[in-house]
Amino acid sequence: MTRSTDKPRLDHTHLRNLLWHMIRIRRFEEKCAELYTQQKIRGFLHLYDGEEAIAAGIIPLLSGSDRVVATYREHGHALARGVPMGAVLAEMYGKAEGCAGGRGGSMHLFSREHNFYGGNAIVGGGLPLAVGLGLADRMSSSGCTTVCFFGEGAVAEGEFHESLNLAALWNLPVLFVCENNGYAMGSALELTEAQTDITARARSYGIDAASVDGMDVVAVEVAARKALNAISDTGKPRFLECKTYRFRAHSMFDPQLYRSSEEVAKWREKGPVVRFQTWLNDAGLLRAPEVSEITAGIDAEIAEAVSFAENGTDEPTEQLTRFVLAPDRPAAPSVPQPSKMIATTYREAVRAGIADAMSRDQRVFLMGEDVGHYGGCYAVSKGLLAEFGAARIRDTPLSESGFTGAGIGAAIAGLRPIVELMTVNFSLLALDQILNTAATIRHMSNNQFGVPLVIRMATGAGRQLAAQHSHSLEGWYAHIPGLRVLTPATPEDARGMLWTALQDPDPVLIFENVMLYNREGMLAENAGPVGIDQAATRRSGRDISLITYGGSLYKTLEAAEILAQKGVSADVIDLRSLRPLDMDTIKTSVAKTNRALVIDEGWKSGSLAAEIGMRLVEEAFYDLDAPVARVCSEEVPIPYARHLEQAAIPQTDKIVRAAQELMEARP
């Protein structure tokens, strides 16, 4: 349905409102610059001076249910969206009364109430998020539109191209707005881009695109109305390049050595505020006294905002870690007594878990490279496309950052995506989105936005794939606050962890060891969800604790059997969750055996095994009768030749040998 006419009604009220928005943004930021020099605002401060016509011409056209994704230069966007000025300034002061509780600062303003999904300090980082929000609206037929603002510097980022491709491919209701101010930080566009026609780039993806004078607020509004109406009518994305100029430095730290003062002065002569105000005056549409009245009202609002911010309170340091994860955790699942046991494989158990989750909840969908028609790189999703259809089993391009970010956006919007990254090494291409958005947005937005997302990926070595396809990086991800990291090793966990993870309000990463997919095992016919918070004791013993996870579990159990034949009784602890670690189960075991050996397929330096060892030293030192020992992968890129590959990763004989040496050690 069309929102309104393409042409604005230039009556007195509307013209006054356009000028009010621009002057309000301009004068607010002038005060911010002053406060920055007084060191009341710290960090980076990116001002919108010169670009006000874009926010003023676009954002007021949106409905309350439409969504806004901004860039780090987003004060104007937030104000135009209706986020209270006092809350914006208090955020920039780092006060608890700020719109993000003082946790985000100038570059990260959030407001769930206003469907304002925040600024993003990562250049181009908000583009995949906007795609995900648009995907949620497409899948739910909400009729809403997401508007995503970014600068011309983002056009060089891969996420720009990945996002536009996905939006065009899936016909998503997203308006991409490029605020082309001529300089990506300090580099002019013609110095960094072989193709400087940004609108042409958007058109290359089959997206209808237009370029407009971003210094002319009426022209911006006309173009935005046309684009928004087209999105409402067709559901397809649109692209709007607003050619503008920032009068101030990239940030308040910037000495602006890359451009002359004469250049800036020349542009100021045709700035959006002076240009529009001059036209209004010359046309007799708005006289100087009324402009003075507008300015006086805005100055009074600014003074009130300054008072609000300066009287704000500091969040107690005792609440430092609040909202790293959601404060309310779902109840643990009820696990029935196993019924008839049936033979299965790890792969079939994972597939059953996905099918079960999708049958239980229409919000759940799977997306990733080749998950549909191909059936998944490891054949995990084979047959699911026919069962659930292409809307819920979504093949994606080879664009890990783009579709992972889209999954994050869809999760924030209320869906329950399962994102499959083909292998853990490919996940590094999506690390920006996982680390900088998924893991941080709850804490940084002061609990306004969470990411109930599951990311699955294959991990580990053993298939002779050489160094670039044999990583075990799950310990790296376990380093990141804001994530949960699971490592199912048994068919029961492979089948049951997924549904429980999908109930989690925070992002959950599930690492599936490649050497387990073909492994056969028994699974209860009535198997369902399982808990994901506790480690499991897979074998009980009295002499030594063998602590491991994932693909090393069965090697460790085999080692325990060999040790038993040699008179050594071993506890085998399957960690199951790497973040958070269940240290209670580990310490209970060590209190019984007084010796600990950690088996970890990651490299020894900076490993998860090192973390566990240090925690045991910190928390259970007096229970240890010998130093904590480790069996890890050798400090080498995993080689191709089978005998070298096997020598590089933990094996049963290494575990046995290390355990025997530990048994001989003295306190």
Side-chain angles (χ1 to χ4, degrees), residues 22-143:
M22 290 196 293
I23 293 178
R24 184 169 178 255
I25 295 168
R26 175 72 60 86
R27 294 188 73 82
F28 172 75
E29 290 207 316
E30 288 173 349
K31 174 56 72 171
C32 290
E34 176 187 329
L35 295 168
Y36 190 87
T37 62
Q38 297 170 5
Q39 299 190 15
K40 293 182 178 180
I41 297 173
R42 302 305 299 146
F44 291 130
L45 180 64
H46 305 87
L47 300 179
Y48 202 53
D49 191 2
E51 304 180 43
E52 298 89 351
I54 304 172
I58 297 174
I59 294 178
L61 301 177
L62 305 177
S63 72
S65 58
D66 290 329
R67 313 174 194 272
V68 176
V69 176
T71 180
Y72 49 78
R73 199 181 306 280
E74 91 273 31
H75 314 136
H77 306 110
L79 292 176
R81 187 55 173 163
V83 183
M85 185 183 289
V88 171
L89 191 56
E91 183 62 32
M92 297 165 75
Y93 269 56
K95 298 299 182 180
E97 291 78 11
C99 60
R103 294 163 179 255
S106 171
M107 294 187 288
H108 311 102
L109 306 174
F110 295 92
S111 177
R112 171 171 283 281
E113 178 185 354
H114 299 90
N115 265 327
F116 192 78
Y117 290 79
N120 198 312
I122 310 303
V123 175
L127 285 154
L129 177 66
V131 168
L133 296 171
L135 176 59
D137 287 327
R138 164 65 66 198
M139 294 182 70
S140 63
S141 301
S142 72

Side-chain angles (χ1 to χ4, degrees), residues 99-226:
C99 60
R103 294 163 179 255
S106 171
M107 294 187 288
H108 311 102
L109 306 174
F110 295 92
S111 177
R112 171 171 283 281
E113 178 185 354
H114 299 90
N115 265 327
F116 192 78
Y117 290 79
N120 198 312
I122 310 303
V123 175
L127 285 154
L129 177 66
V131 168
L133 296 171
L135 176 59
D137 287 327
R138 164 65 66 198
M139 294 182 70
S140 63
S141 301
S142 72
C144 298
T145 296
T146 295
V147 180
C148 180
F149 295 91
F150 54 95
E152 82 289 342
V155 174
E157 296 284 354
E159 285 166 321
F160 170 84
H161 300 277
E162 295 179 22
S163 297
L164 264 63
N165 182 52
L166 277 173
L169 182 67
W170 290 343
N171 291 327
L172 303 182
V174 180
L175 173 58
F176 296 99
V177 180
C178 178
E179 299 178 317
N180 181 358
N181 63 32
Y183 291 93
M185 194 166 176
S187 298
L189 187 64
E190 59 268 19
L191 297 179
T192 59
E193 296 299 316
Q195 168 58 276
T196 59
D197 187 342
I198 294 173
T199 302
R201 291 192 179 197
R203 288 177 180 147
S204 73
Y205 290 101
I207 297 176
D208 282 352
S211 180
V212 66
D213 182 354
M215 312 293 270
D216 182 344
V217 68
V218 175
V220 170
E221 182 179 349
V222 170
R225 283 179 180 271
K226 184 176 181 180

Side-chain angles (χ1 to χ4, degrees), residues 496-557:
M497 277 186 168
L498 180 63
W499 174 252
T500 310
L502 284 165
Q503 308 315 298
D504 201 286
D506 297 301
V508 180
L509 276 57
I510 300 179
F511 291 85
E512 300 161 4
N513 191 281
V514 293
M515 299 306 293
L516 296 178
Y517 282 126
N518 291 330
R519 189 175 184 89
E520 297 178 347
M522 303 300 291
L523 183 66
E525 203 168 39
N526 66 337
V530 299
I532 59 174
D533 293 321
Q534 282 81 43
T537 302
R538 300 299 185 188
R539 180 183 178 119
S540 294
R542 63 181 180 277
D543 298 324
I544 188 171
S545 298
L546 305 180
I547 303 160
T548 191
Y549 68 88
S552 291
L553 173 62
Y554 297 98
K555 299 174 186 177
T556 303
L557 287 169

Side-chain angles (χ1 to χ4, degrees), residues 41 53 59 100 139 163 283 297 380 387 400 446 477 491 493 498 501 540 555 558 584 592 600 616 632:
I41 297 173
I59 294 178
M139 294 182 70
S163 297
V380 167
E387 184 174 355
E400 287 81 4
N446 203 34
Y477 286 96
D493 280 352
L498 180 63
S540 294
K555 299 174 186 177
E558 184 179 354
D584 288 342
K592 176 177 61 173
D600 175 6
L616 284 172
C632 298

